[in-house]
Amino acid sequence: MTTKKRAGGGMSEQRRARLRLEISREAARLFWEQGVAATGGDQIAEAVGLSTRTIWRHFRSKESCAEPVVMQGVVTLLSVLRRWPRDSSLEDHLVTGLAALRRQKPPVDLADEMLAMKMIRLADTEPALRTAWLMACDQTEQQLRVIIGDRLDRPADDLEVRMHAAAAAAVIRVLDEYIGAAILAGADLTEFTDVPGVSRRFAQAIRTATGGVVGDPVT
């Protein structure tokens, strides 16, 4: 007896997620190259080698095709934050965790990171893509509730935990938008490839946004 969850047509959730990401990559490339308005579902289907009907089986609209790629923009940081030990400061953990990912296989390919940056940048002028980005930010906030709640020994739905999670999620959103826009504009990459510097920037901004509540080691 199989223990894997199945979705439409007997497809496993893992396979469904891979297919959605593959579709999303092609849609994002087309959106960036020719614009959202000029891109149709038929073009996305042709690019990925599927029928248009299959595209609509997995996505509610052409713009929503960007959602899996957009979510890749926050996966790396969240993967590190979920492993934050209670006896470590946020600065120390981010420096160690992000540096380790550079030596290992990161959870998100560089190509997907770049596509996510492009979609987040395009979201400035495309309301439907903005929705996809804000949905990713909402998922970030939901996960931060669990992380922060654990450190404060409070439930994830506690009001103070929710406010701190919202503040930390806003920091991540703003910094991701800033970094992505700068890189796509051709800025000097030295600032953004300095892992300790970037780590401290995120950590200090989260400390400030949460009034210093989030950041210190806890016992």
Side-chain angles (χ1 to χ4, degrees), residues 23 29 68 74 104 137 159 164 177:
I23 294 169
R29 290 189 186 102
V74 294
Q104 305 163 1
C137 294
L159 178 59
H164 291 320
E177 290 174 352

Side-chain angles (χ1 to χ4, degrees), residues 4-199:
K4 288 184 178 180
K5 292 183 178 179
R6 299 285 173 177
M11 181 181 291
S12 71
E13 288 295 338
Q14 186 177 32
R15 184 181 170 198
R16 176 181 172 84
R18 285 198 304 265
L19 179 57
R20 280 174 52 84
L21 183 55
E22 183 180 351
I23 294 169
S24 189
R25 286 169 177 147
E26 296 302 330
R29 290 189 186 102
L30 288 168
F31 290 159
W32 184 254
E33 290 170 4
Q34 61 189 36
V36 176
T39 301
D42 291 342
Q43 288 178 295
I44 296 171
E46 182 179 358
V48 80
L50 297 171
S51 68
T52 305
R53 186 174 182 179
T54 300
I55 300 297
W56 302 142
R57 189 178 301 137
H58 291 278
F59 294 96
R60 65 188 179 278
S61 66
K62 68 177 184 181
E63 293 87 358
S64 69
C65 289
E67 290 172 8
V69 154
V70 168
M71 189 62 197
Q72 299 300 290
V74 294
V75 165
T76 298
L77 185 59
L78 283 175
S79 71
V80 173
L81 287 173
R82 280 194 291 267
R83 298 193 296 271
W84 184 10
R86 295 173 65 84
D87 61 353
S88 176
S89 71
L90 183 55
E91 288 84 354
D92 289 346
H93 176 61
L94 286 183
V95 169
T96 301
L98 291 176
L101 286 181
R102 298 195 69 178
R103 299 189 298 269
Q104 305 163 1
K105 180 176 173 57
V108 177
D109 291 337
L110 179 58
D112 283 347
E113 291 270 15
M114 290 302 298
L115 276 175
M117 287 181 190
K118 289 176 178 178
M119 291 303 95
I120 293 168
R121 186 72 182 88
L122 198 56
D124 285 345
T125 55
E126 294 286 350
L129 294 185
R130 187 68 179 173
T131 298
W133 172 224
L134 293 179
M135 286 177 64
C137 294
D138 182 69
Q139 290 184 49
T140 300
E141 183 179 330
Q142 300 299 325
Q143 294 186 47
L144 285 171
R145 287 186 192 180
V146 176
I147 294 166
I148 293 172
D150 176 68
R151 297 188 75 80
L152 299 183
D153 292 319
R154 296 187 180 186
D157 61 355
D158 176 85
L159 178 59
E160 184 177 351
V161 169
R162 292 180 62 185
M163 289 192 294
H164 291 320
V171 163
I172 293 171
R173 175 181 62 79
V174 171
L175 283 177
D176 274 354
E177 290 174 352
Y178 168 77
I179 292 170
I183 290 174
L184 292 174
D188 183 356
L189 296 183
T190 303
E191 174 186 358
F192 308 113
T193 54
D194 173 16
V195 173
V198 171
S199 299

